[in-house]
Amino acid sequence: MGTKTMTAFHAIFLGAPGAGKGTQAKKLAGVSGCLHISTGDMLREHRSQGTELGCQAQGYMDEGKLVPDGLMVEMVVERIARPDAADAWILDGFPRTGEQALALDRAVDDSAGGITHAVFFDVPHGSLIDRLTGRRTCSQCGAIWHIKFKPTSRDEICDDCEGALVHRSDDNEAVVEQRLSAYRTQTEPVLDYYRDRGLFCEVNADQAPDAVFEDLGKVMLKEVG
Ligand code: AMP
């Protein structure tokens, strides 16, 4: 990592499933114009198109397990190498293992501007099951809602685009438990990889989305700016 170029904005969003990384990344990308790269969304897209990667990832995702590092690293390195990703992106849901973090550093070294922000979305584990099992996603625009915490005005219809809402199959309680367990054992240790560097910052994500977004702006400017 080390010296950063003036123009690069290469942020990674870290935190448990259900911590709100996707909601915040979408919003920040919308106002800043940077590219939002969600590895979960990319994998779901591969699955819906029936690609080889989608087929390889399917079983792991359905069981709430992490897709193997080799597949993930190849997918992400290819994505961030495309011209539209050059200077400004948010990586949401990657890295999730130590091996992925090392591979990301190799791919985005100082000559490419390095990683500029590592943001940890902190939510108590007790809140996560409710947040995940009540989550609904718009099948059309990808907006994220919640039956209790962020309801739409009409049942199962997106307020933003009137698309149909879906309940992700891996947001059911049994799979959620497995995803949280994978997070604790494989992803939580990755926080330490970034914690002692100047680029790490932390947001209290146990608040309403607008309050989290306000804090996100403050900590990203204060801690790293
Ligand atoms: P997400 O939408 O980020 O919760 O991801 C959904 C699922 O995709 C996860 O439960 C994993 O099976 C898989 N996945 C997404 N990102 C990664 C990653 N960085 N490493 C391994 N598996 C991932």
Side-chain angles (χ1 to χ4, degrees):
M1 289 197 199
T3 318
K4 301 161 195 164
T5 67
M6 293 304 286
T7 50
F9 177 83
H10 296 152
I12 56 174
F13 279 11
L14 304 161
K21 303 182 297 295
T23 300
Q24 299 299 325
K26 273 189 182 59
K27 192 161 178 181
L28 185 55
V31 297
S32 68
C34 70
L35 184 71
H36 171 206
I37 304 172
S38 155
T39 49
D41 286 350
M42 288 176 78
L43 290 171
R44 282 184 285 278
E45 183 68 23
H46 275 279
R47 286 183 64 169
S48 70
Q49 290 177 356
T51 67
E52 194 184 333
L53 172 58
C55 295
Q56 287 169 317
Q58 188 164 329
Y60 297 99
M61 295 172 80
D62 288 346
E63 288 180 26
K65 294 181 179 159
L66 294 186
V67 173
D69 287 336
L71 297 176
M72 295 309 301
V73 168
E74 193 184 339
M75 181 181 88
V76 168
V77 168
E78 187 277 326
R79 182 65 191 90
I80 59 180
R82 287 192 224 159
D84 66 335
D87 290 331
W89 42 253
I90 303 167
L91 208 39
D92 156 20
F94 187 98
R96 265 163 144 125
T97 67
E99 191 49 53
Q100 292 178 14
L102 291 170
L104 186 62
D105 273 353
R106 284 193 294 270
V108 191
D109 61 12
D110 290 345
S111 66
I115 302 297
T116 58
H117 303 73
V119 186
F120 170 49
F121 291 81
D122 192 14
V123 177
H125 279 268
S127 313
L128 292 168
I129 297 213
D130 262 3
R131 287 172 75 137
L132 286 164
T133 53
R135 182 160 73 173
R136 299 290 182 271
T137 310
C138 176
S139 56
Q140 211 159 271
C141 73
I144 301 165
W145 303 92
H146 192 282
I147 52 172
K148 203 154 67 182
F149 308 129
K150 197 186 174 200
T152 49
S153 43
R154 282 179 293 164
D155 271 359
E156 308 298 324
I157 307 277
C158 178
D159 278 0
D160 291 349
C161 76
E162 303 203 328
L165 300 191
V166 290
H167 186 200
R168 268 172 54 177
S169 59
D170 60 348
D171 277 348
N172 75 65
E173 201 158 337
V175 182
V176 160
E177 294 282 5
Q178 174 56 46
R179 290 165 66 203
L180 293 177
S181 154
Y183 172 74
R184 277 191 292 269
T185 56
Q186 293 170 274
T187 309
E188 232 165 39
V190 176
L191 298 181
D192 285 337
Y193 182 77
Y194 295 103
R195 210 181 285 277
D196 298 330
R197 305 184 190 189
L199 48 81
F200 186 85
C201 53
E202 206 163 320
V203 178
N204 170 14
D206 195 24
Q207 316 179 70
D210 287 350
V212 176
F213 191 67
E214 201 173 306
D215 283 3
L216 176 65
K218 284 184 200 152
V219 299
M220 286 180 93
L221 288 173
K222 189 173 94 196
E223 302 288 334
V224 187

